[in-house]
């Protein structure tokens, strides 16, 4: 499973990092980034929760 952040939509709210810091982080410009190649199975629910919580709908989780 992959997590993808659309950098054109991300506004740097940081909710993804708060909800799932083992998958998401912030870059130097303050935008969200994905820090893993594949979302570990035990973090799938948290990554999906982060995607739902994103106010800009900038996060996609692909299976």
């Amino acid at each position: 499973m992959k997590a993808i952040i659309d950098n054109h939509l991300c506004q740097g709210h940081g909710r993804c990092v708060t909800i799932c810091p083992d998958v998401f982080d912030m870059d130097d410009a303050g935008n969200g980034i994905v820090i893993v190649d594949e979302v570990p199975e035990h973090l799938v629910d948290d990554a999906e929760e982060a995607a739902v919580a994103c106010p800009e709908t900038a996060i996609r989780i692909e299976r």
Side-chain angles (χ1 to χ4, degrees), residues 5-14 26 29-32 54-56 58:
I5 295 179
D6 184 330
N7 292 326
H8 297 290
L9 295 176
C10 180
Q11 297 294 309
H13 296 282
M26 304 298 277
N31 293 315
C54 179
E56 308 302 335

Side-chain angles (χ1 to χ4, degrees), residues 38-59:
E38 294 286 328
V39 177
E41 191 62 37
H42 71 281
L43 295 174
V44 168
D45 289 343
D46 290 344
E48 289 177 338
E49 181 182 342
V52 170
C54 179
E56 308 302 335
T57 61
I59 302 171

Side-chain angles (χ1 to χ4, degrees), residues 5-33:
I5 295 179
D6 184 330
N7 292 326
H8 297 290
L9 295 176
C10 180
Q11 297 294 309
H13 296 282
R15 292 180 186 177
C16 55
V17 180
T18 300
I19 294 168
C20 194
D22 292 328
V23 173
F24 303 101
D25 201 352
M26 304 298 277
D27 66 13
D28 292 338
N31 293 315
I33 57 170

